[in-house]
Amino acid sequence: MFLLSACAILNAFSQDQSSLVLIPAPVSQKMMTGHFILPRSIVIEARNASSLEQSVQTLKTTLSRSTGYAVSVTSQASPTAAIHLVINSTPDPSLGTEGYFLTTTIKGVTIRANQPAGIFYGVQTFLQLLPKEIESTRPVKNISWMTPCVAITDYPRFSWRGLMLDVSRHFFTKQEVKAFIDQMVKYKFNLLHMHLTDDEGWRVEIKSLPRLTQVGAWSATRVGTFGTFPAPPANEVRDYGGFYTQEDIREIVKYARDRFVDILPEVDIPGHSLAAIASYPELSCTDGADQYKVRSGEKIMDWHKGGGFDALIDNTLCPANEKVYPFLDKVFTELADLFPFGYIHVGGDECAKNFWAKSDAVKQLMDKENLKTMEEVQSYFEKRVEKIVESKGKKVIGWDEILEGGHAPNAAVMSWRGVKGGIQAAKMGHSVVMSPTTFFYLDYMQGDAATEPPVYATLRLNKTYSYEPVPDSVDPKYIIGGQANLWTEQVYNTRHMQYMLWPRSLAVAEVLWSQKSKKDWNNFAARVEAAFPRMDVQQVKYSRAMFDAIISPKKDYNANDSIVVDLSTEVHGLDIYYSFDNSNPDNFYPKYTGTLNIPKDASWLKVITYRDGKPIGQQINVPVADLKRRAGLPDK
Ligand code: ACM
């Protein structure tokens, strides 16, 4: 209290939080006059040193490499230390297991928590209070290394705060996964879901099934638009891909655990299983061992216009094949040993049924088990899978399809096809992780299709931010949290992986950590803008699409065959300038003030955003023919 008052004396508590730029927003933050200045010789007091090792290391590394100052640690009570990390001897119930209390005064910094995780999150918050150069990996000169004086109380809204990384479609190395974890924890995510298997690769060594990685981890190298490539010739070298050895997995799991991140492993079955079937073709319902190859981006599914799909090659495990279950027993035995987290994800999504419908074995199974539909066949499979997983001491989680045709009794559900699966599951008493395409799919484009690598949908930052994970109609206790998913069919490298993650994952972090009452888009957008230069120092790539114009063409109901265009922005206070004459607009061009009619012979709309007379968004050029297509006019 004495230290706290040192700042308070200078001025009364101020509620003005304009200069605090924390993401995710804490439960409460009180700003006071005055600053904490890092001394040239920084002493960290950490009395429970062993349990606080990661917090101490994070501070030591981050503070010393950027400031060049000496940083030392003491496990003794040290009133003169600059930074005090304190585990409450009597737990404060309001902080739970992940909460913390952080004060910075002119005398020093104190982070208190009930558990080491809380201290670690307090450290992340403290680092965000320092100048952005604190993120530099080299000493930076002429910076005032100081924070405002603040008192922050903070704890999370949800306990499951996840990101999913698809390491199957494109393989990301152990080092890249660790760097991913380093980024996640800055924003207090605590769960990494690794999508370890799919048609494009099996990425985890299973010692009792060596072909899964000898064969299943390798495809032919292709660069370009995934999904459109011709099938590789039979004799083409397959050296694209890779896998994690069990040692790698143990290393990743430990790295994550040290940073309070659980790893949820996913084996996506019974669909999405071509890599497994290429390795062990006898697991399929359909003969033809030679045809099964790990997918190299060729077309293997036929997606029907109004929904529905058929597989062009049987990429499913056969639920009627008794060899499948001992195979899965081996897989889950080894996974359960490798991953300490309580859940194993068993996929279940997008399982094509057209080959099952032609299979005599499946027909016999349906007769024997009195299964009426293909969904019931999948449900039969899911229930057997659940028994296997539970026999290894783990709980099952799966995509919302696992509810179809009768649910797996104890499974938790990850709701991805919008929120209805999650609502249904919660009403049936299942635990639910919300992960809907409509708000939390990080493979979707962040801005206009004319500027982004092409993907089939757009999801802007403000839409992600607007998400409320607890639907009105359900008991909140069933919604254990949420996660955003980065599918990587179109993500060929780590720079693009970062670009797709940020800043949308900042919105995800805030939706999952911060209190609902804190939701304020304008305030958040300003904090995101302040986070960008910090990411520049971290050399992390991100999208600036939040500053771009949103182009919304629609049919002109006053005139056949023509359209009008609305322009808007996600961020408030921007001006939009446009041209139809093919030249590049600037702030001397017409400024958008209302719906645009397109001049009769115009071929391009070009738009750019400005703020306070300076360009801020990127110029977007869209052919008028594309605008018409977007508005739903038939192609001429
Ligand atoms: C999914 O996006 N297929 C779960």
Side-chain angles (χ1 to χ4, degrees):
M1 261 337 278
F2 169 75
L3 293 181
L4 190 60
S5 60
C7 275
I9 285 165
L10 295 174
N11 208 325
F13 273 93
S14 154
Q15 292 295 327
D16 175 10
Q17 275 125 43
S18 56
S19 61
L20 285 187
V21 290
L22 303 173
I23 297 177
V27 171
S28 86
Q29 52 188 24
K30 293 194 173 76
M31 224 172 130
M32 296 164 283
T33 304
H35 290 90
F36 163 73
I37 299 171
L38 273 179
R40 288 185 166 271
S41 178
I42 302 166
V43 178
I44 303 170
E45 176 201 323
R47 268 178 278 168
N48 316 61
S50 62
S51 71
L52 299 180
E53 189 174 326
Q54 197 56 49
S55 294
V56 167
Q57 274 311 324
T58 301
L59 281 170
K60 252 182 116 168
T61 310
T62 314
L63 298 180
S64 62
R65 69 187 178 188
S66 52
T67 63
Y69 292 177
V71 183
S72 62
V73 184
T74 173
S75 56
Q76 309 299 315
S78 173
T80 57
I83 302 174
H84 308 261
L85 307 181
V86 184
I87 295 283
N88 289 327
S89 47
T90 310
D92 176 343
S94 71
L95 295 182
T97 55
E98 296 184 296
Y100 63 91
F101 180 54
L102 164 68
T103 55
T104 56
T105 74
I106 52 174
K107 294 272 180 66
V109 178
T110 302
I111 302 171
R112 286 183 180 278
N114 297 334
Q115 299 283 336
I119 300 283
F120 186 66
Y121 294 134
V123 166
Q124 303 304 330
T125 299
F126 168 61
L127 293 174
Q128 283 191 21
L129 293 172
L130 283 160
K132 65 181 188 303
E133 289 80 7
I134 206 72
E135 300 288 347
S136 171
T137 53
R138 293 202 210 130
V140 188
K141 296 261 180 290
N142 301 322
I143 303 288
S144 295
W145 298 111
M146 58 188 192
T147 75
C149 286
V150 292
I152 291 173
T153 304
D154 202 12
Y155 46 83
R157 182 172 173 210
F158 293 103
S159 61
W160 184 301
R161 303 182 303 278
L163 290 175
M164 188 212 77
L165 178 61
D166 171 4
V167 293
S168 174
R169 273 50 177 273
H170 282 98
F171 179 62
F172 294 94
T173 63
K174 178 173 68 181
Q175 286 72 22
E176 289 167 328
V177 173
K178 287 182 178 177
F180 188 98
I181 293 168
D182 288 342
Q183 283 300 308
M184 289 174 67
V185 299
K186 286 184 190 302
Y187 309 106
K188 306 184 174 75
F189 285 103
N190 65 356
L191 183 124
L192 171 60
H193 169 173
M194 293 179 81
H195 183 75
L196 288 166
T197 76
D198 213 302
D199 299 315
E200 293 78 9
W202 185 286
R203 304 295 179 208
V204 52
E205 178 188 27
I206 302 296
K207 287 192 199 272
S208 59
L209 296 162
R211 286 178 62 80
L212 284 174
T213 43
Q214 287 163 357
V215 175
W218 305 101
S219 60
T221 302
R222 289 290 179 276
V223 178
T225 307
F226 183 95
T228 65
F229 304 128
N235 60 354
E236 184 170 338
V237 177
R238 293 182 160 260
D239 58 2
Y240 184 81
F243 64 93
Y244 309 107
T245 64
Q246 296 205 345
E247 225 162 273
D248 290 337
I249 293 286
R250 291 206 160 90
E251 195 177 318
I252 292 170
V253 164
K254 177 169 183 341
Y255 191 88
R257 271 220 138 171
D258 285 347
R259 290 155 182 78
F260 308 97
V261 171
D262 287 315
I263 299 208
L264 171 69
E266 179 185 356
V267 169
D268 197 355
I269 50 173
H272 287 275
S273 290
L274 195 52
I277 290 162
S279 311
Y280 296 98
E282 65 271 23
L283 301 176
S284 165
C285 289
T286 312
D287 288 339
D290 292 348
Q291 63 174 325
Y292 296 123
K293 295 274 187 275
V294 176
R295 185 184 181 205
S296 307
E298 63 272 27
K299 185 171 155 101
I300 63 162
M301 299 291 271
D302 199 4
W303 300 95
H304 305 190
K305 267 229 160 76
F309 51 89
D310 288 313
L312 302 174
I313 181 165
D314 189 359
N315 68 338
T316 64
L317 299 183
C318 185
N321 178 347
E322 282 305 317
K323 287 187 188 145
V324 163
Y325 301 100
F327 164 84
L328 291 176
D329 195 282
K330 287 180 181 168
V331 169
F332 290 125
T333 300
E334 295 193 33
L335 284 187
D337 184 47
L338 283 173
F339 293 94
F341 190 49
Y343 282 99
I344 290 181
H345 196 303
V346 298
D349 60 318
E350 297 175 326
C351 177
K353 312 290 190 327
N354 52 308
F355 284 95
W356 293 1
K358 289 193 279 193
S359 158
D360 288 339
V362 171
K363 277 197 195 90
Q364 282 164 21
L365 177 76
M366 292 175 81
D367 288 345
K368 181 161 155 259
E369 298 290 335
N370 195 23
L371 307 172
K372 299 279 179 281
T373 64
M374 286 301 150
E375 285 67 35
E376 289 184 17
V377 174
Q378 181 168 345
S379 174
Y380 166 87
F381 174 86
E382 302 297 351
K383 286 175 187 147
R384 286 192 67 175
V385 166
E386 186 177 70
K387 281 215 179 80
I388 297 172
V389 171
E390 287 180 349
S391 77
K392 313 300 167 201
K394 299 289 183 185
K395 293 185 281 189
V396 159
I397 187 165
W399 301 113
D400 54 62
E401 285 95 331
I402 65 168
L403 290 179
E404 287 173 351
H407 56 97
N410 304 319
V413 170
M414 206 169 257
S415 184
W416 75 278
R417 295 176 301 176
V419 297
K420 63 181 186 316
I423 293 173
Q424 187 196 349
K427 290 197 164 156
M428 290 158 67
H430 295 261
S431 294
V432 173
V433 173
M434 282 299 196
S435 176
T437 53
T438 35
F439 296 93
F440 271 12
Y441 261 40
L442 301 175
D443 54 329
Y444 287 7
M445 297 178 289
Q446 290 162 97
D448 194 281
T451 63
E452 299 300 301
V455 187
Y456 39 84
T458 296
L459 173 61
R460 291 179 186 277
L461 181 66
N462 63 347
K463 177 102 189 268
T464 298
Y465 184 73
S466 73
Y467 185 48
E468 167 46 45
V470 180
D472 285 340
S473 58
V474 309
D475 184 340
K477 79 171 187 222
Y478 293 113
I479 310 296
I480 56 179
Q483 68 175 49
N485 301 331
L486 181 55
W487 302 101
T488 60
E489 289 97 320
Q490 308 286 2
V491 179
Y492 285 78
N493 64 65
T494 49
R495 291 303 282 176
H496 192 54
M497 177 231 269
Q498 293 171 358
Y499 177 86
M500 298 308 283
L501 279 172
W502 310 110
R504 275 182 304 198
S505 298
L506 298 179
V508 176
E510 183 137 324
V511 167
L512 297 175
W513 176 281
S514 302
Q515 301 300 301
K516 192 175 169 183
S517 59
K518 291 273 154 183
K519 191 158 283 199
D520 177 341
W521 163 251
N522 290 333
N523 179 290
F524 176 71
R527 284 181 284 126
V528 170
E529 189 169 354
F532 284 164
R534 209 161 257 274
M535 290 192 187
D536 289 335
V537 180
Q538 293 162 4
Q539 302 189 321
V540 165
K541 194 171 184 185
Y542 54 88
S543 164
R544 293 176 56 88
M546 66 188 264
F547 296 121
D548 293 349
I550 302 170
I551 302 171
S552 310
K554 57 187 183 197
K555 281 180 189 156
D556 179 359
Y557 289 102
N558 298 318
N560 266 350
D561 246 17
S562 85
I563 58 168
V564 292
V565 181
D566 289 331
L567 302 178
S568 57
T569 57
E570 285 181 77
V571 171
H572 288 231
L574 308 189
D575 299 318
I576 312 172
Y577 299 91
Y578 65 91
S579 77
F580 282 111
D581 63 7
N582 296 354
S583 61
N584 297 329
D586 64 14
N587 54 339
F588 291 81
Y589 275 61
K591 180 163 143 180
Y592 178 81
T593 54
T595 303
L596 301 177
N597 293 301
I598 299 181
K600 186 165 73 58
D601 298 315
S603 5
W604 287 88
L605 168 64
K606 300 189 176 184
V607 300
I608 188 162
T609 51
Y610 274 65
R611 184 167 64 191
D612 301 332
K614 296 201 184 68
I616 184 156
Q618 62 185 322
Q619 183 178 315
I620 305 177
N621 306 332
V622 189
V624 170
D626 275 2
L627 294 174
K628 289 187 172 171
R629 215 169 294 128
R630 291 184 191 185
L633 288 196
D635 280 343
K636 284 265 167 68

